[in-house]
Amino acid sequence: MTRKVSAPFTFFARAAAGERPRTPAPRAPGGREAAVWGGTSDEGRARGQPAGGRARGACPRSPPGPLPRGPSSSPTRPAPQGPGAPGASTSRAGPTRPGDARGPPAPGLRRPESGNTWSLRAKSAHHRVESFACQTSRLLSVVSGGGQRRARKACRFGGELPVPAAGFRSGWELAGLGRGGGMSEERAAPASAVSLGEVRSWPEALCRRELPSVLPQLLSMYQHSDNWMEHIQILKVIVEMFLPHMNHLTLEDTLFSQVLPKTVELFDDMMCELTSQARGLSSQNVEIQTTLRNILQTMVQLLGALSGCVQHVCATQESIVLESINSLPSSVLHVIKSTFVHCKNSESVYSGHLHLVSDLLQALFKEAYSLQKQLMELLDMVCVGPSGDESGGTLSTAAGGSEDLLFVIHSLLDICSVISSMDHAFHANTWKFIIKQSIKHQAMIKSQLKHSAVVSGLCEDTLLSFHSCVQLAEQTAESGAQDTVDYRLFQKTLKLCRFFANSLLHYTKEFLPFLSDSCCALHQLYLQIHSKLPPSLYAAGIPDPQQEEIAAAFLVTLDLLISQLLTFQPFVQVVLDSKLELPCELQLPQCLLLVVILEKLPSQPEGVQALWCTEGQSSGASARLSLLGAVFFSFEQCSAELSLPVRLQGAQGRGRAAAAVTLYQHVCVRLCAFIASVHPSLFPQLDTALLDAVLSAHMITSLLAVDAWCFLARYGTAELCAHHVTVVAHLIKSCPGECHQLTSLSVLLRRLLFLMAPPQQVEFLRNFSPRVAANLLLWQCVSFQAFPAELREQAALEVCRAGADQGREWLSGPRRLGELAGLNTLLSALLAVCTSAGDALDSAQRAAVVDVGSRLWALLDVTLVRAAGCLPEQVTSQPSVQQTLSLLCPLLGFFIQTLDPQLISQDEVLPSLSSVFALLLVGRSWLLEQHALEAFMQFAEGTNQEEIVPQCLSSEETKNKVVSFLEKAGCVEETAAARVERVKQEKGVFSGPFANSAAAEGAKGSSSQPYAKRARPASPLEEEYRSALRAAAGALEVLEVLLPKAPAPDWLLGSVELLQQRLGGLRRGLLSGARLDGVAVDSGGSITHQHVL
């Protein structure tokens, strides 16, 4: 997912950069241009001041246009008595006007006494206007319907009513703010009252002097006002005229706690009104358009007033404690967040008519942008507590200070999630401030911070920036130039990725003990990023130069992050979780992560190594695999990457450049390096992990473990290798029968014997002598080439002698089917001797082997071939018999020149050979077809019966298949991209069943307790036995029913006697055990069993 700045946000980015709005302001009804942010008011034109400016003495006129607004729902409170204002009058008693149902008027402003050293134009008596409440009542009494609605809107903003040029002033008599003045004087001398506009003209000295008496009255007016514009004007008077003269130590109690809550409420009301009115915005509805623009202008002025508060506190030269201004950051952040949310959702809020108000939205965003920058500068200056040495960690601070700072940081976190797609530089600066303040005050707030929110936010922004970077790299590859706009934007986005990664690294370093809940997010971040980079099958098409830039600027930081997390136990639990289920695209990154940990772990202390290499389970958590166990489990899930295979950058050696290696080589080399440097105390865990992997049902995993074990045998001492051989030999002897574990152990034993020293090989021959029948199971796995010439000859002699003796013993015995397993073991051992040490056999040994093999072949030929016309499946379906045949054929093949010609009749074999090959070569199984092609090639190259070769190729398709095999040509041309897609689909199909079976096997292997006894499994033919017995019993029941009904035929008695004889034979067979008997048919058609000899 790529994060781009959509069209509605482009003007917000321009606003942050200081550009002027581009959309002109619409005209109000009657041809009069509506007041616009950045326009000029009546008083401003006289003084050359812009209406939106905050120059002292400039009061913008109320914006025209109706806006519906009901009575204020805020509770009325008596005006507070601020410090330095004793005796300030807060009485609301006074005369009421006719028709005014609202009660006595609010306290107002009064001209200062004549002794004051200032002059003011006497305009108040000539420009006095009625109060908005009175005007509303009078208008509502004479109009109805739409007129009442327009009147209410006019009451909200004072639109269409005469406004004095000197500035805004409430219609009530504003008296009682002069020194020594009171309500009685107001009633006696109303001409002495002054307007807010006149107050804005006061000099600084007068404002400073009148502050104790005027401020409480202004605050009371602010609390009781029902008009949005009146709120704004009073707030601006307070901020611009009186705030600079207030004591910064008492700002919270004197001003902020009384003004800012009402300001936030006012802003929320305007935002709600703005959102509800925006649904009706259109270019034809000029009234709604004007209303919305008026609201936006008012909101801009409100943000400007808040900026004045922040700027004043920033300008203070003395130290500021956060608790002394705690209402300011919270209120400002609330307003900023609401503004950014509205701007972000502006496209949907304004229903496609965003261009009608885009200039004011841009101004609003710019004001909020500037306000947040000023607030962050202020917060960077303030102290959290009244005293304390934060650098040393010893603080004497109130709990309220830390709570205020926590609120600020958490609010900025929320703002980060809003502005992430609006302005990248502003977003990064906000994150920079969050990290800086968190680390600066970590001694106070480290246990209360929302660490999971911080880490998850950084991870999300890092991932989004990375996705944008990858997409830009792909676009750069398409353009094919390094100086394009896309490439420059790629470099900027890459810097943003590096910034987020460094911030995450810094934060993790400082708050690692508190990040238990964030380890999963950190783990997923690493996997997600590497899934989009080569060698992943799901990687994007990034050019090599851009890959190198990403690796140098970004991936290095992620590598450092993993190094920091190595010692953190919760991270170990997440990475090695036995129940970790990952989608296909994250399985290779998980394997690569584990390999990276393998490389880093040897430099860690013994305790850290033990943490990773030991299985365990924390309280309330799932079981944890060992690191080596996780490596093997993850490796077997990368079947698609292994089959292609994918290529990785190999290690660079001395004097040669690094070459690309396969995934198997990459993992094997680093696994062996870890084995060579692992702490000795972890050898038991190493042996356990290697043995579990060797016994795995996945062949590739077993081969990797065998390679690693062989490296360990070569790297260790000769005694260690001999010990491993002894252990593996005993494991092979304990296998219950043919299984994949036996195959893997046999491969391991065969390879380990090559690594043994000659003295240990002699000891192996003595300890596992072939003369013992139970040891022949080992010698069938041995390659005699592993021994020196003298020892090889001795071992071959002993195996041949023992095999021939045991073969003759079996032939002279009862030859039961159950004893064929032992016979097959000695045949397999004899075949191993002939394969790897045939030249070491003398003529007597060869003759002994040929004698035993010939007699066995003759026995099977008579039993299975000549008698197969009746019931061949009775014997040939037995796996042991099939294995005997598969071993005899290659064994006798070594002595084909010395065999008796009558032993194998070519007249019977050759006619059937062509049909066998023809049938196998058209098989649908690719595995069977491959073996058939290999066998046919060997036969065609070595036979002297050339006329049979064409007969094997029964069709043109078979001929083409054989020719393609000879030429090593593929049947289907497949592009590299198509092959990758095919492998990905195959991996998705097979990952489910294999993952489930591996998980089940892992669960079994992870337990050190012996398996519980299970019920003996039923024989595969047991159900057939039951069915046959039920059929026989049913037939006898039918005979019993027929006998009473009619006389029996003459032949029935003889048939019953034959059945009785057969039942006796079955009974004797069950008592004595199954024998390898021939099958023949007597003249009467019944089946009899004869002993072979």
Side-chain angles (χ1 to χ4, degrees), residues 730-810:
H730 285 292
L731 288 173
I732 292 175
K733 292 178 64 175
S734 64
C735 286
E738 290 293 332
C739 54
H740 68 85
Q741 291 91 343
L742 177 60
T743 303
S744 300
L745 291 172
S746 301
V747 172
L748 177 60
L749 178 63
R750 182 180 298 111
R751 294 185 59 181
L752 288 178
L753 285 172
F754 279 93
L755 304 176
M756 291 181 71
Q760 278 75 28
Q761 289 179 335
V762 173
E763 188 70 20
F764 176 81
L765 181 61
R766 181 168 55 251
N767 294 337
F768 300 98
S769 174
R771 290 189 293 270
V772 180
N775 291 336
L776 282 179
L777 185 63
L778 297 176
W779 291 98
Q780 68 177 344
C781 311
V782 172
S783 173
F784 288 83
Q785 294 296 324
F787 302 106
E790 183 178 353
L791 187 60
R792 179 168 62 249
E793 183 177 352
Q794 177 184 351
L797 174 63
E798 292 189 14
V799 171
C800 286
R801 185 179 300 167
D805 293 343
Q806 294 183 31
R808 295 189 191 98
E809 182 180 354
W810 187 88

Side-chain angles (χ1 to χ4, degrees), residues 372-693:
Q372 181 175 326
K373 288 182 64 177
Q374 295 169 10
L375 179 64
M376 291 192 297
E377 292 176 4
L378 169 62
L379 293 173
D380 203 23
M381 297 166 48
V382 301
C383 300
V384 176
S387 63
D389 181 11
E390 297 181 6
S391 62
T394 303
L395 295 174
S396 174
T397 179
S402 60
E403 292 177 359
D404 294 337
L405 182 60
L406 286 169
F407 179 83
V408 168
I409 293 176
H410 296 159
S411 299
L412 288 174
L413 278 175
D414 297 336
I415 291 176
C416 275
S417 63
V418 176
I419 64 175
S420 59
S421 59
M422 300 177 70
D423 188 289
H424 293 169
F426 186 42
H427 181 218
N429 288 333
T430 304
W431 267 118
K432 183 178 181 180
F433 177 82
I434 291 174
I435 303 299
K436 179 180 179 181
Q437 294 300 316
S438 300
I439 296 176
K440 178 180 178 181
H441 305 286
Q442 62 174 315
M444 297 173 52
I445 62 175
K446 58 185 179 182
S447 58
Q448 289 84 29
L449 265 176
K450 294 181 180 179
H451 298 287
S452 59
V454 176
V455 174
S456 61
L458 282 173
C459 290
E460 181 181 355
D461 289 335
T462 303
L463 191 59
L464 290 175
S465 300
F466 174 74
H467 286 166
S468 299
C469 192
V470 169
Q471 186 175 25
L472 290 170
E474 292 180 297
Q475 296 173 2
T476 302
E478 295 174 359
S479 62
Q482 295 294 318
D483 56 349
T484 60
V485 175
D486 287 336
Y487 180 71
R488 291 194 294 270
L489 189 56
F490 162 77
Q491 290 181 318
K492 291 182 179 179
T493 309
L494 183 58
K495 290 181 180 179
L496 191 63
C497 292
R498 181 173 57 188
F499 164 77
F500 284 126
N502 286 330
S503 300
L504 188 61
L505 180 68
H506 198 185
Y507 192 88
T508 303
K509 178 181 178 181
E510 298 295 335
F511 297 99
L512 184 59
F514 302 92
L515 302 184
S516 300
D517 298 334
S518 303
C519 292
C520 184
L522 295 170
H523 180 220
Q524 288 294 319
L525 173 67
Y526 187 94
L527 300 185
Q528 291 285 350
I529 288 175
H530 282 273
S531 69
K532 299 301 180 183
L533 296 173
S536 173
L537 300 180
Y538 305 86
I542 306 176
D544 292 339
Q546 278 70 40
Q547 288 185 34
E548 295 176 0
E549 289 186 53
I550 292 175
F554 179 52
L555 298 185
V556 173
T557 306
L558 289 183
D559 188 71
L560 295 176
L561 179 63
I562 297 301
S563 300
Q564 283 186 178
L565 295 170
L566 281 181
T567 60
F568 196 37
Q569 194 274 336
F571 182 73
V572 179
Q573 179 66 37
V574 168
V575 175
L576 302 182
D577 190 356
S578 60
K579 296 183 179 180
L580 182 64
E581 296 182 2
L582 297 173
C584 295
E585 63 270 15
L586 299 185
Q587 290 171 356
L588 175 63
Q590 170 72 359
C591 182
L592 296 179
L593 171 61
L594 295 173
V595 172
V596 168
I597 295 173
L598 280 178
E599 291 182 288
K600 296 178 178 295
L601 209 55
S603 62
Q604 297 294 322
E606 178 185 354
V608 178
Q609 294 188 32
L611 177 65
W612 281 95
C613 295
T614 306
E615 297 180 355
Q617 183 171 7
S618 304
S619 57
S622 56
R624 185 182 74 240
L625 300 174
S626 67
L627 176 60
L628 290 173
V631 168
F632 287 117
F633 177 75
S634 179
F635 180 77
E636 70 190 23
Q637 292 181 315
C638 301
S639 56
E641 291 81 1
L642 290 165
S643 62
L644 278 177
V646 298
R647 299 281 177 175
L648 295 92
Q649 191 70 20
Q652 185 173 4
R654 293 182 178 179
R656 57 186 178 87
V661 297
T662 64
L663 176 62
Y664 188 95
Q665 292 172 313
H666 179 80
V667 176
C668 186
V669 168
R670 283 151 182 81
L671 178 61
C672 293
F674 173 77
I675 291 174
S677 57
V678 71
H679 196 273
S681 63
L682 300 175
F683 283 170
Q685 288 78 11
L686 173 62
D687 294 341
T688 301
L690 288 176
L691 181 59
D692 288 342

Side-chain angles (χ1 to χ4, degrees), residues 824-863:
N824 292 336
T825 299
L826 69 90
L827 289 177
S828 181
L830 291 175
L831 182 61
V833 171
C834 295
T835 302
S836 58
D839 55 346
L841 299 177
D842 56 20
S843 57
Q845 295 168 354
R846 290 173 178 268
V849 173
V850 169
D851 177 61
V852 173
S854 300
R855 294 177 60 185
L856 284 173
W857 182 263
L859 172 65
L860 292 177
D861 182 42
V862 172
T863 305

Side-chain angles (χ1 to χ4, degrees), residues 921-952:
L921 288 173
V922 297
R924 294 185 178 182
S925 171
W926 65 268
L927 183 60
L928 180 62
E929 179 183 315
Q930 179 69 19
H931 284 292
L933 287 170
E934 293 176 356
F936 178 74
M937 291 299 103
Q938 293 179 3
F939 170 74
E941 292 174 358
T943 185
N944 54 5
Q945 305 291 332
E946 298 179 357
E947 68 278 2
I948 300 180
V949 175
Q951 299 175 10
C952 299

Side-chain angles (χ1 to χ4, degrees), residues 342-375:
H342 181 78
C343 293
K344 183 177 182 179
N345 302 329
S346 57
E347 186 175 11
S348 60
V349 170
Y350 293 96
S351 305
H353 301 283
L354 179 63
H355 63 282
L356 298 176
V357 293
S358 59
D359 57 329
L360 291 177
L361 279 175
Q362 183 178 357
L364 184 66
F365 178 85
K366 180 179 180 181
E367 196 69 34
Y369 176 94
S370 176
L371 178 58
Q372 181 175 326
K373 288 182 64 177
Q374 295 169 10
L375 179 64

Side-chain angles (χ1 to χ4, degrees), residues 930 933-934 937 960-969:
Q930 179 69 19
L933 287 170
E934 293 176 356
M937 291 299 103
N960 295 334
K961 189 182 301 184
V962 172
V963 172
S964 298
F965 181 80
L966 288 173
E967 296 177 350
K968 296 181 170 31

